[in-house]
Amino acid sequence: MRGDLKRAQERVLEYLRLTTVASPHARIQFVIDDLLDLTIGGSIGTVPAPPIPSKPHPRGTDVEMLRKLIEKSEHKGLRSFLIDSFQQVGDRSASRLLRFMGLHPNTDVSVLTREELSFLGTTLRSFDGFGRPDSRSLSPIGPNDFTRAIESAFNTALLRFANRGPCEWDGNAFMLEGIVCYGDEFPSADIPTMYRFANRVPLLYDASECVLAKTLKRVNWSRYGARVSQPAALFIHFCSTKVPYKAAGKQSIAHLPQIEEEALALYRKLGRALNVFVKKKERSSRETKRIREFSKMFSLMARYGAALAGYEKAPSTSHMVRRLFEGDVDV
Amino acid sequence: MSKRNVVEVLTDLGKDIVSTLRDGEFPTFKLPDRGTKNIVYDSAADQFILGNSQITRDSSNTKHIRSFAQLIWVAYFAKQLIEADRTSSLRDLYYSSEAFGIDFCDQAESDRMVIDLECLTGVPREKFGIFPEEHSSIFGAVTMRYTVRGYEGKEVDLTMSPDGLPVGRALMTAEPISTEAEVLLAVESGGMFSRLIETRAWERYNAVLVQLGGQAPRSTRSLMKRLHDELDLPVLIFTDGDPWGMHIAQVVISGSANSAHIMGLTIPDARWIGVTPSDIVEHALPSEPLTNADLKRLDELSRDARYTGMEWKNHIKEFRALQRKTEQQAFSRHGADYVVDTYLARKLE
């Protein structure tokens, strides 16, 4: 493979840096011949608990998958087959489903016709009696690790974590977690800059196609403190047992209504934290300005008062101003 | 109040500020409240005066400190003016402030500070050498003696210039010595003023002429009052025939709400000779209908304490009945000399 190192170097570094955010337990050494030897990451000393493998959820079934599952479970009765092959399917839900379909629970799975298989697949997908997919199969970064990772990689004055889920799309569990930041290291814009991750992998390209980025524009950020250009940033991690990528490049997540809805709710949660922060910041800068202004006018008053009285020197006033605003803000 | 006393008042103000600061206290002072609710008519003095309500300026209050500093600066500026024997217009003062690190939003704000200083010290701004931009003029057989530096003791005859002399600080502080005139006639417009000089009406009627130029500046009112008091000249006022002209006369007679904190500007026995509503009819003057603004002004005046006299009430009633107004220049309709030969003849004799 050929590439232009000079042009790519920044991108590669950016990718690795973001990787240390999503996988804070990883320490990465990056060496370019004699040019660069860089070690980053490893802000967390512990390895995250591995996700628990789970059986497929019935809502994610198709005929192909059914056929494969049946091959593995020779001559099982239909009900046992359902219970053994899928998660969230128990005695009761399996019996209800079969009663609804008019199939006998003990029917041998290997004798099902093509039509019956197709019907079974459709019914499994649409039946609403199953519980949510098991979220223990997900590997979210979690509030502590996520916060610590960003803290050690970026210089930010605000770190607020929020998450949504677990939810599902077509039987696949997913969660969204995010952190809102504020600092000069981030670009100033009317909407926050977003860093996307899917299952701990940074997504660098095709942002305009991605549901996470598109949904970001649906939020009225001016209501969340981003009235003027503010250096705010969002780190958004989408984790799922299956990521619905939009294209083979795996850089953007497809536009599914469930994901959009959760993303919107997450952005608003983070937006509220941003709003509180910006308001507070504005208030304190207003206050500082007010004190500065006061101090200036007060010393002018003293100066012209002394000049009026015919004195050479104006009395010192800074200690009085300090006393007056004691405890408000640092003067 | 002598110049030395004024300087002393200002110096004391500065000393107060400094000694309060040295004690570690925040200076405050009280000012009479100049809000419209606190302006009352004093029938004994026959002028508007400020009521008893007071406001406190507190330098420890972030909302007050700006105007506090501005006020002290204006006092400092005033003291500089007096000591250097200089004068300044209100506009000059506004622009000077920038060089001293004091900023005013607009001239209205700096003008307010000057009034605040007047209220605080009880000294009218003319004593500080601070004047408004507009000048009115005076012409007539009066001899005055200057007191301003460089002209001390010099006498001036107010007929010296056929254009009249501007009423500035020099005239305002000059002493009236003698006069051959028998009456002081104040007119609203410059056109009428020139007409009366040209036609030698001032000789014919033995009148000192004053051009008010709309609402008269305080310096002019105070000069008129001195001529009235010291030379025993009765004061007559000749304005346009509308509610506004009538009020110009009223302010000369009983003072304005804006200068309610200044005493000794009013001439209670001055008289408005016209143009009255009945003059419009009697002299068949060209006239215009009263506008809504005019009528609104009439309503305001009819509720005004200065208009409670029978004569004033009649004027208002007649304006309302006639629904018309006119200007001093309208007499030209009957020829250039009509106003002098006929109108003033009737009014002054």
Side-chain angles (χ1 to χ4, degrees):
Chain A
M1 224 163 81
R2 299 174 64 83
D4 185 341
L5 174 65
K6 260 193 200 138
R7 271 175 56 195
Q9 187 172 332
E10 275 307 304
R11 281 290 184 163
V12 173
L13 272 172
E14 167 89 346
Y15 181 83
L16 294 177
R17 192 178 180 206
L18 290 173
T19 301
T20 67
V21 166
S23 304
H25 54 284
R27 186 189 296 276
I28 299 170
Q29 190 180 19
F30 183 47
V31 182
I32 306 176
D33 296 339
D34 298 329
L35 274 175
L36 186 73
D37 185 345
L38 184 75
T39 305
I40 51 171
S43 54
I44 303 295
T46 52
V47 178
I52 295 165
S54 66
K55 293 179 268 188
H57 191 277
R59 270 198 285 281
T61 350
D62 55 43
V63 177
E64 194 52 41
M65 185 204 254
L66 272 177
R67 199 169 278 142
K68 275 187 188 159
L69 287 170
I70 286 169
E71 264 170 37
K72 277 197 274 179
S73 34
E74 343 208 302
H75 307 296
K76 258 189 194 165
L78 196 43
R79 190 174 55 184
S80 325
F81 163 74
L82 290 176
I83 296 169
D84 293 347
S85 309
F86 293 101
Q87 59 164 303
Q88 313 299 331
V89 181
D91 230 356
R92 275 176 59 198
S93 51
S95 303
R96 263 180 67 205
L97 179 93
L98 291 173
R99 213 169 28 250
F100 168 75
M101 289 180 68
L103 288 172
H104 194 278
N106 292 335
T107 313
D108 184 343
V109 279
S110 48
V111 304
L112 290 175
T113 64
R114 256 179 90 160
E115 285 71 28
E116 282 169 326
L117 271 184
S118 162
F119 183 39
L120 180 60
T122 321
T123 314
L124 282 171
R125 275 200 301 279
S126 56
F127 187 68
D128 61 2
F130 303 126
R132 281 180 169 192
D134 190 351
S135 63
R136 288 173 304 167
S137 317
L138 300 175
S139 179
I141 308 168
N144 295 335
D145 289 5
F146 207 174
T147 309
R148 183 102 61 85
I150 292 175
E151 209 168 19
S152 64
F154 292 91
N155 190 8
T156 166
L158 166 71
L159 276 168
R160 196 54 57 80
F161 176 91
N163 61 4
R164 295 285 299 180
C167 310
E168 63 162 314
W169 67 275
D170 291 0
N172 303 295
F174 76 87
M175 274 175 87
L176 277 168
E177 51 185 345
I179 286 189
V180 58
C181 296
Y182 189 101
D184 292 334
E185 233 179 303
F186 306 109
S188 283
D190 291 342
I191 68 173
T193 308
M194 185 159 65
Y195 299 91
R196 297 170 296 139
F197 302 88
N199 283 344
R200 296 180 184 255
V201 176
L203 306 181
L204 297 186
Y205 300 100
D206 299 337
S208 58
E209 298 292 306
C210 182
V211 63
L212 296 178
K214 274 185 179 167
T215 310
L216 188 73
K217 291 187 182 132
R218 279 189 53 202
V219 177
N220 181 3
W221 284 101
S222 65
R223 281 172 50 190
Y224 294 101
R227 270 173 294 282
V228 278
S229 285
Q230 303 269 18
L234 298 180
F235 291 81
I236 304 296
H237 180 219
F238 174 84
C239 63
S240 176
T241 45
K242 186 180 178 188
V243 180
Y245 286 115
K246 200 155 183 181
K250 294 192 170 182
Q251 288 296 321
S252 59
I253 300 169
H255 213 273
L256 298 179
Q258 305 92 313
I259 300 177
E260 181 179 356
E261 197 180 307
E262 294 304 315
L264 199 58
L266 177 68
Y267 296 161
R268 289 190 171 135
K269 249 179 169 176
L270 294 170
R272 280 191 287 278
L274 176 64
N275 196 26
V276 168
F277 174 81
V278 170
K279 282 260 173 66
K280 208 166 153 192
K281 197 175 155 66
E282 282 174 351
R283 205 177 317 127
S284 103
S285 85
R286 260 204 312 276
E287 182 73 358
T288 310
K289 198 178 152 207
R290 195 171 69 101
I291 295 172
R292 224 180 17 239
E293 185 72 7
F294 180 89
S295 171
K296 185 184 146 206
M297 294 319 278
F298 198 73
S299 76
L300 281 174
M301 176 197 71
R303 189 204 304 173
Y304 291 117
L308 195 55
Y311 301 146
E312 293 270 305
K313 250 184 81 194
S316 145
T317 53
S318 51
H319 64 288
M320 293 184 67
V321 176
R322 247 196 323 275
R323 205 180 63 209
L324 188 63
F325 292 101
E326 220 158 52
D328 281 18
V329 176
D330 297 333
V331 183
Chain B
M1 193 183 277
S2 78
K3 195 169 120 179
R4 240 200 23 240
N5 289 341
V6 176
V7 170
E8 214 165 273
V9 166
L10 294 174
T11 308
D12 285 348
L13 181 62
K15 283 181 177 164
D16 270 357
I17 298 282
V18 175
S19 75
T20 313
L21 286 174
R22 287 201 177 132
D23 291 345
E25 300 289 326
F26 289 90
T28 62
F29 51 73
K30 281 182 161 41
L31 282 176
D33 175 8
R34 287 200 311 281
T36 44
K37 283 196 184 116
N38 194 39
I39 294 175
V40 293
Y41 196 74
D42 182 53
S43 43
D46 202 10
Q47 78 160 78
F48 272 108
I49 59 165
L50 294 177
N52 296 323
S53 162
Q54 286 197 317
I55 54 164
T56 302
R57 284 271 165 78
D58 185 343
S59 65
S60 71
N61 185 325
T62 48
K63 290 200 176 74
H64 291 185
I65 185 62
R66 204 174 115 86
S67 48
F68 207 111
Q70 287 170 338
L71 179 63
I72 300 303
W73 176 78
V74 170
Y76 164 79
F77 185 78
K79 190 182 168 191
Q80 299 285 99
L81 281 177
I82 300 169
E83 286 181 340
D85 211 7
R86 301 288 283 270
T87 64
S88 163
S89 69
L90 286 166
R91 190 147 191 81
D92 260 338
L93 177 140
Y94 167 58
Y95 280 116
S96 305
S97 64
E98 268 182 45
F100 293 87
I102 298 279
D103 59 323
F104 294 105
C105 308
D106 49 24
Q107 200 195 324
E109 190 177 30
S110 67
D111 288 358
R112 256 197 323 276
M113 284 308 136
V114 173
I115 299 179
D116 277 356
L117 184 64
E118 290 180 329
C119 288
L120 185 66
T121 57
V123 178
R125 64 165 190 269
E126 287 80 6
K127 295 269 186 197
F128 303 133
I130 300 170
F131 296 88
E133 201 80 337
E134 70 264 32
H135 278 301
S136 56
S137 314
I138 186 164
F139 182 96
V142 178
T143 307
M144 308 273 291
R145 186 184 291 137
Y146 285 127
T147 61
V148 288
R149 184 187 285 182
Y151 285 82
E152 294 99 335
K154 277 194 185 164
E155 291 184 3
V156 62
D157 174 5
L158 298 189
T159 56
M160 206 168 68
S161 161
D163 291 327
L165 288 172
V167 181
R169 184 180 167 225
L171 267 190
M172 201 200 125
T173 52
E175 293 160 5
I177 305 294
S178 63
T179 183
E180 287 154 32
E182 288 165 3
V183 65
L184 192 157
L185 178 63
V187 298
E188 177 177 349
S189 68
M192 185 54 67
F193 180 70
S194 311
R195 165 79 39 89
L196 297 182
I197 298 173
E198 281 161 18
T199 55
R200 308 195 74 80
W202 58 278
E203 268 180 346
R204 177 166 164 186
Y205 299 116
N206 272 329
V208 179
L209 302 174
V210 170
Q211 178 223 330
L212 299 174
Q215 277 296 354
R218 272 177 5 202
S219 52
T220 308
R221 283 162 59 195
S222 116
L223 177 63
M224 284 165 66
K225 182 170 174 66
R226 300 235 319 285
L227 293 177
H228 167 268
D229 290 353
E230 292 171 34
L231 300 178
D232 275 335
L233 293 177
V235 173
L236 302 178
I237 305 151
F238 179 27
T239 68
D240 286 343
D242 56 32
W244 314 90
M246 178 166 72
H247 196 64
I248 287 172
Q250 184 66 268
V251 166
V252 173
I253 297 167
S254 27
S256 66
N258 273 338
S259 304
H261 58 290
I262 305 287
M263 298 300 282
L265 282 177
T266 59
I267 311 171
D269 61 1
R271 217 157 49 77
W272 184 48
I273 59 167
V275 181
T276 64
S278 48
D279 290 339
I280 300 178
V281 181
E282 197 178 320
H283 295 271
L285 297 174
S287 59
E288 284 173 29
L290 291 178
T291 63
N292 281 340
D294 296 331
L295 290 167
K296 201 168 151 247
R297 189 71 184 136
L298 276 181
D299 287 344
E300 285 165 13
L301 296 184
S302 69
R303 288 191 298 270
D304 191 309
R306 288 167 289 187
Y307 286 83
T308 43
M310 243 359 254
E311 200 189 344
W312 295 111
K313 279 189 175 155
N314 277 338
H315 289 319
I316 291 175
K317 206 161 77 190
E318 282 169 17
F319 267 126
R320 279 181 174 151
L322 191 63
Q323 290 283 320
R324 299 195 77 81
K325 61 177 177 180
T326 194
E327 291 180 10
Q328 294 181 306
Q329 274 71 17
F331 290 103
S332 302
R333 164 76 181 72
H334 304 302
D337 295 331
Y338 182 86
V339 65
V340 175
D341 293 343
T342 312
Y343 181 73
L344 287 180
R346 271 189 225 171
K347 291 282 181 179
L348 297 181
E349 276 155 16

